[in-house]
Amino acid sequence: VTPLPAIVIALVLGVATCLVAYRYKPVAAGFASAAILAAVLGTIHWLFTTRHLYLSLSLATMPIVFAYLSSPFVHYVVTWRERNFIRRAFSTYLAPRVVDALVAQPERLALGGREAEGSVMFLDLAGFTTFSERLAPEALIDLLNRNLGHLSEVILDHDGLIDKFIGDAVMAEWGVPLPQADHAQRACAAALGVQSKLEALAAEEAKHSGVELLARIGINSGRFVAGNIGGARQVNYTVLGNDVNLASRLEGINKAYGTRIIIGEETARLAGSSFVLRELDSLRVKGQNRPVTVYELVGRAGEVEAAHRQTLAGYAEALALYRERDFAAAKERFSKVLAGDPDDGPSRVFVERCALYLERPPPPDWDGVFVMTTK
């Protein structure tokens, strides 16, 4: 065979071996490369014995051998770049130990969506519009960065994923990109940690800028689609679905009830007995047809004061009367709870609602579900 065709054949064989060796794992690539090499040697022998054509053995085999021997180095470089990208991309949004686990399972970040089970948190600073009007733009941004940064650290400490910052709000998830069997418990613990941290931050912020810092949190658990969303230039790893939307709605509902943390019924079920919960109400939130029972996350089990536990017990009794349509007795019981704890927002809501139902009773087929007309 003349030099030019021989060189072309050698290059083709080298490229073919490269594609095989770089695409497959070392063992499979070894077998495939050996098969290519055997086929080449057989072809050389056949050409020489039947066609009296000589193809240089070294010219034909060296590209194959070089491609196979260099493949581990290429695999190492590609893997290192992939892991380095993951570490840089997620180190800001995930705790280091979660990033390490993610680096070991990079397939979890494949483009496209996958169904996952987890918990979603929406955290929003209350009264943002009010204090944004009082502060200069530079001071406002400084306030947000200073405080949301500290609150985000609490989320990271509980192995949550910081999905995004939306103005004065934070969206976070547990259960993605890596599964977490205790995602609901982690989310609840993080929410309580955020409120505890906020107490210290609020005292400092009041001295620094005169702003009263409060945060409202909504948490919901369920199934959603997780994946990279975006275009060619920029993507964002996030979650989508009805259960995600409900978490956002629950955050806003806090304003109506005067609470700080509201969780959905699935989160309440998964959280178990580790936390003290108050069954708050049965609601049909705006944008969703299915009614949900929502709960206030009060605190960790064993850490709630006796006086507050008494408030919760009285509220539960009053709520039972309310659902039995005994609105007069329920109003009296809610009023009694409110007398003992004047700051109990949910009791105040039900005193007003019972008074409304006494004047205009709900229909006979009333199921106890209250329809929220605002987000």
Side-chain angles (χ1 to χ4, degrees):
V1 180
T2 55
L4 182 59
I7 292 173
V8 172
I9 292 171
L11 289 175
V12 170
L13 292 173
V15 171
T17 307
C18 284
L19 293 176
V20 171
Y22 300 160
R23 182 171 183 178
Y24 298 103
K25 293 183 179 179
V27 174
F31 281 112
S33 299
I36 294 174
L37 185 60
V40 169
L41 293 175
T43 302
I44 291 174
H45 177 72
W46 179 79
L47 288 173
F48 183 73
T49 57
T50 62
R51 296 288 188 267
H52 304 292
L53 296 175
Y54 174 72
L55 180 62
S56 172
L57 188 64
S58 60
L59 185 63
T61 58
M62 284 303 294
I64 299 173
V65 174
F66 177 78
Y68 175 70
L69 293 179
S70 64
S71 63
F73 174 75
V74 175
H75 276 296
Y76 172 80
V77 172
V78 171
T79 302
W80 178 84
R81 290 183 64 184
E82 182 182 62
R83 292 183 175 182
N84 190 49
F85 169 77
I86 293 173
R87 196 175 295 281
R88 285 187 291 105
F90 281 88
S91 60
T92 307
Y93 310 105
L94 283 168
R97 56 182 174 270
V98 182
V99 175
D100 291 339
L102 187 57
V103 165
Q105 303 179 54
E107 66 277 5
R108 294 281 180 181
L109 293 177
L111 287 176
R114 67 178 182 88
E115 192 175 39
E117 181 177 333
S119 296
V120 183
M121 170 194 289
F122 282 86
L123 182 159
D124 185 74
L125 293 181
F128 175 75
T129 302
T130 301
F131 62 73
S132 65
E133 294 174 348
R134 294 170 43 195
L135 300 175
E138 297 82 359
L140 179 62
I141 294 298
D142 181 58
L143 181 149
L144 291 176
N145 289 339
R146 183 170 58 250
N147 293 289
L148 291 182
H150 287 298
L151 300 183
S152 297
E153 286 296 326
V154 177
I155 294 172
L156 293 176
D157 288 343
H158 290 83
D159 294 338
L161 166 68
I162 304 294
D163 186 309
K164 60 177 67 73
F165 294 92
I166 313 167
D168 62 327
V170 181
M171 178 181 174
E173 297 103 42
W174 285 259
V176 291
L178 298 176
Q180 293 168 317
D182 57 347
H183 55 82
Q185 293 184 340
R186 290 177 185 269
C188 290
L192 293 173
V194 163
Q195 294 294 2
S196 177
K197 182 71 174 180
L198 194 64
E199 290 182 8
L201 293 174
E204 291 297 318
E205 195 60 51
K207 298 176 184 177
H208 187 269
S209 63
V211 169
E212 182 182 3
L213 275 185
L214 295 171
R216 293 189 284 260
I217 297 174
I219 302 174
N220 192 48
S221 304
R223 300 196 67 81
F224 38 70
V225 176
N228 292 295
I229 308 298
R233 291 181 176 271
Q234 186 177 17
V235 296
N236 175 45
Y237 188 86
T238 189
V239 295
L240 303 169
N242 285 334
D243 287 322
V244 178
N245 297 336
L246 180 56
S248 176
R249 297 288 186 267
L250 296 182
E251 179 276 313
I253 290 171
N254 280 290
K255 187 174 182 179
Y257 289 86
T259 51
R260 292 287 174 261
I261 308 172
I262 291 181
I263 66 176
E265 55 192 17
E266 182 64 9
T267 306
R269 184 185 70 81
L270 294 172
S273 58
S274 302
F275 303 93
V276 176
L277 308 177
R278 178 199 329 219
E279 184 177 338
L280 201 59
D281 204 351
S282 293
L283 302 173
R284 186 174 286 108
V285 302
K286 190 175 179 63
Q288 300 208 4
N289 295 322
R290 183 176 64 88
V292 293
T293 302
V294 299
Y295 297 78
E296 179 190 10
L297 176 60
V298 179
R300 289 183 178 273
E303 296 182 3
V304 178
E305 297 179 355
H308 198 48
R309 289 201 303 270
Q310 185 175 355
T311 296
L312 300 180
Y315 183 91
E317 294 173 4
L319 187 62
L321 293 170
Y322 167 82
R323 287 180 175 161
E324 292 171 2
R325 300 179 64 104
D326 192 348
F327 300 121
K331 179 184 176 184
E332 182 180 350
R333 191 70 184 92
F334 280 123
S335 298
K336 185 176 180 181
V337 173
L338 198 57
D341 185 357
D343 294 326
D344 189 54
S347 293
R348 183 177 297 107
V349 168
F350 273 95
V351 167
E352 295 174 359
R353 195 184 300 173
C354 286
L356 176 64
Y357 284 164
L358 285 171
E359 292 182 7
R360 289 179 290 174
D365 60 348
W366 179 72
D367 57 2
V369 176
F370 185 77
V371 179
M372 299 293 296
T373 55
T374 59
K375 294 184 178 181

